[in-house]
């Protein structure tokens, strides 16, 4: 595993990195060719999950053989970027407010977008619609709460239940994608019973994820209800709380 990360470090540095802060250079199509944008690598990895989402959904809609296999591969890549952005941010000390906010936001968009696509494709049955809507409402309500808290100088610590629901959401999406993969590209090699079992496990994991999503969001809103009333005392973030790029457990 250590050799793999060293190899990734070398490849990433050779392909993308031009300074010690892992800033990636992109030319702007403006009259002055000398203008460039500098985007650090962790933020670039974070933002990459959005195009990965569109690629995965597009592949699931395509009828040709192998599309589901590619969708699974892109899902794995998208999930891996969630680890890599935090890894490089911590390793090179390039934590940013943009990175912390967008890391949490892109995780929510990635997972909720997949569940909406699963619902549209019939991977999730129609009775899951209220659960998907509740997940959608919870995720963006908590994101809005974090923005309000940030404006008041309040740091909202990640809750253990929030981290657990994120893990269960990923497990549910993985099982449902695997069932689609087995049923589409591996139907001649994998008995249908295994596909049905994976799909059933995916549904159970999705229901568990929905429950944890709603319950953790409710407890979070109750805990910080003073923010809505404007009575929460203002405080500046502690240095220790600012040291972590990862914000997804909320």
């Amino acid at each position: 595993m250590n050799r793999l990360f060293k190899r990734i470090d070398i490849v990433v540095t050779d392909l993308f990195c031009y300074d010690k802060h892992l800033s990636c250079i992109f030319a702007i199509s403006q009259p002055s060719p000398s203008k460039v944008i500098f985007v650090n690598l962790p933020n670039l990895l974070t933002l990459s999950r959005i195009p990965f989402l569109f690629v995965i959904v597009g592949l699931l809609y395509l009828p040709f053989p192998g599309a589901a296999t590619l969708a699974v591969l892109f899902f794995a890549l998208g999930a891996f970027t969630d680890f890599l952005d935090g890894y490089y941010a911590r390793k090179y000390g390039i934590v940013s407010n943009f990175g912390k906010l967008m890391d949490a936001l892109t995780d929510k968009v990635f997972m909720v977008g997949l569940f909406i696509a699963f619902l549209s494709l019939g991977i999730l049955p129609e009775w899951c619609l209220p659960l998907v809507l509740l997940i959608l409402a919870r995720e963006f309500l908590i994101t809005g709460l974090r923005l309000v808290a940030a404006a008041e100088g309040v740091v909202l610590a990640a809750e253990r239940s929030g981290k657990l629901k994120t893990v269960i959401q990923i497990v549910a999406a993985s099982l449902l994608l695997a069932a689609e993969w087995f049923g589409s590209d591996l139907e001649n090699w994998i008995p249908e019973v295994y596909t049905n079992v994976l799909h059933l496990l995916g549904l159970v994991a999705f229901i568990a994820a929905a429950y944890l999503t709603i319950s953790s969001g409710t407890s979070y809103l109750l805990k910080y209800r003073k923010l809505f009333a404007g009575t929460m005392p203002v405080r500046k973030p502690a240095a220790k709380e600012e040291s972590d790029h990862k914000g997804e457990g909320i």
Side-chain angles (χ1 to χ4, degrees):
M1 184 63 70
N2 290 333
R3 291 182 179 178
L4 173 62
F5 286 129
K6 288 181 180 179
R7 179 75 62 179
I8 293 174
D9 284 343
I10 294 172
V11 172
V12 167
T13 302
D14 290 343
L15 291 179
F16 299 107
C17 305
Y18 293 85
D19 62 20
K20 64 180 180 179
H21 298 300
L22 298 183
S23 294
C24 305
I25 301 180
F26 299 90
I28 304 177
S29 57
Q30 293 185 2
S32 174
S34 62
K35 292 183 179 181
V36 293
I37 296 176
F38 292 90
V39 180
N40 69 51
L41 182 60
N43 289 344
L44 185 63
L45 289 170
T46 296
L47 294 173
S48 71
R49 288 196 284 281
I50 303 301
F52 274 138
L53 169 63
F54 285 94
V55 171
I56 294 168
V57 174
L59 286 169
L60 290 175
Y61 272 96
L62 292 178
F64 67 82
T69 302
L70 290 175
V72 170
L73 291 176
F74 276 104
F75 176 79
L77 286 174
F80 191 49
T81 63
D82 194 22
F83 167 79
L84 280 183
D85 57 12
Y87 169 76
Y88 281 114
R90 290 188 294 269
K91 179 176 180 179
Y92 293 97
I94 46 178
V95 177
S96 66
N97 291 329
F98 174 85
K100 287 185 289 185
L101 175 63
M102 292 306 297
D103 182 70
L105 185 58
T106 54
D107 282 348
K108 298 176 192 301
V109 172
F110 187 72
M111 295 310 305
V112 173
L114 281 177
F115 289 142
I116 292 174
F118 290 165
L119 194 63
S120 175
L121 288 162
I123 298 174
L124 283 175
E126 292 183 358
W127 55 262
C128 289
L129 175 59
L131 297 179
V132 173
L133 292 177
L134 285 171
I135 292 174
L136 177 65
R138 183 271 186 199
E139 297 291 22
F140 287 98
L141 184 60
I142 295 301
T143 299
L145 183 65
R146 294 185 68 212
L147 293 174
V148 172
E152 296 292 335
V154 178
V155 176
L156 303 188
E159 300 284 344
R160 182 176 299 178
S161 59
K163 295 178 180 179
L164 179 60
K165 68 88 183 172
T166 301
V167 173
I168 301 301
Q169 283 182 353
I170 294 173
V171 170
S174 301
L175 289 171
L176 291 170
L177 267 178
E180 184 69 14
W181 177 34
F182 282 16
S184 298
D185 293 343
L186 302 179
E187 58 181 345
N188 294 328
W189 294 275
I190 304 293
E192 186 178 357
V193 63
Y194 293 108
T195 301
N196 294 335
V197 169
L198 273 180
H199 189 263
L200 179 60
L201 291 175
L203 283 178
V204 172
F206 172 76
I207 294 171
Y211 171 77
L212 288 172
T213 301
I214 297 165
S215 62
S216 64
T218 301
S219 63
Y220 211 80
L221 291 174
L222 291 175
K223 182 177 180 179
Y224 294 100
R225 61 186 179 277
K226 291 183 179 180
L227 279 172
F228 294 104
T231 58
M232 174 73 77
V234 177
R235 65 183 178 88
K236 293 184 178 180
K240 184 178 180 181
E241 293 172 325
E242 291 287 344
S243 63
D244 193 359
H245 173 76
K246 304 302 288 177
E248 68 274 15
I250 296 178

